[in-house]
Amino acid sequence: MTKFAVYGRANCGYFARAQVLAEKLASENSEIDVDIQVFHPNAWQKALKKEKKKGKGKWNHDTSPIVYEELKEPVRYELIGGQKEFWELVKERYSRELTQDEQLEAHDRISVNKDTVGMNDDRERQRGAGCSLM
């Protein structure tokens, strides 16, 4: 069983694309599990810092999303990187890419993610700016 963790900011287009790709991959392959966590932009740096501890000081990654693979026996975590590195790994390992329709779905996912973390008004949306929205 392969397990990918995909964590990112609710307002981040890169995260939304990685999120949709991970979900599609898991739905098509029963040997793949995903852990996806959406964070409010104001909580992102704290969450990123916590996740980077799994790399025992070796992970140099400071953007949304962060993607890593959880390996068993012995349990360890391997940093994949961000959306670009995750896409490259999935394309190489599973011959899978997002279709045009799935990329549009990822764009729509940003709104869902914002609602999930309570970014419902314009002030919150403006404060959370800083990541490409596609």
Side-chain angles (χ1 to χ4, degrees):
M1 169 86 46
T2 300
K3 183 173 183 178
F4 294 110
V6 181
Y7 294 3
R9 290 195 338 239
N11 64 334
C12 180
Y14 298 115
F15 169 64
R17 289 190 295 258
Q19 177 184 15
V20 169
L21 181 57
E23 290 169 350
K24 298 295 181 183
L25 193 60
S27 72
E28 296 166 357
N29 187 331
S30 63
E31 293 297 312
I32 296 175
D33 187 24
V34 295
D35 176 21
I36 297 172
Q37 293 195 28
V38 181
F39 293 92
H40 190 284
N42 296 339
W44 172 242
Q45 287 303 317
K46 184 176 180 180
L48 179 63
K49 185 177 180 178
K50 179 183 173 194
E51 291 310 306
K52 285 173 63 172
K53 288 180 182 178
K54 292 179 179 174
K56 298 181 181 177
K58 298 177 185 173
W59 290 2
N60 183 23
H61 188 85
D62 295 316
T63 59
S64 173
I66 185 169
V67 182
Y68 60 88
E69 185 172 358
E70 184 178 324
L71 305 166
K72 299 186 188 273
E73 298 183 33
V75 173
R76 65 188 190 284
Y77 306 94
E78 293 291 329
L79 177 67
I80 294 168
Q83 176 244 307
K84 179 182 176 207
E85 294 82 7
F86 183 54
W87 276 31
E88 290 169 354
L89 179 137
V90 169
K91 183 177 180 181
E92 180 181 310
R93 195 185 288 181
Y94 303 103
S95 301
R96 178 68 161 89
E97 296 180 271
L98 284 183
T99 66
Q100 187 68 27
D101 286 343
E102 291 167 342
Q103 290 192 39
L104 292 172
E105 180 183 338
H107 182 65
D108 293 340
R109 186 66 59 91
I110 295 169
S111 294
V112 173
N113 288 343
K114 286 178 178 180
D115 288 341
T116 299
V117 298
M119 292 179 67
N120 295 324
D121 66 36
D122 289 328
R123 288 185 311 260
E124 285 297 321
R125 287 189 181 118
Q126 288 172 358
R127 266 188 245 146
C131 185
S132 169
L133 296 180
M134 309 287 271

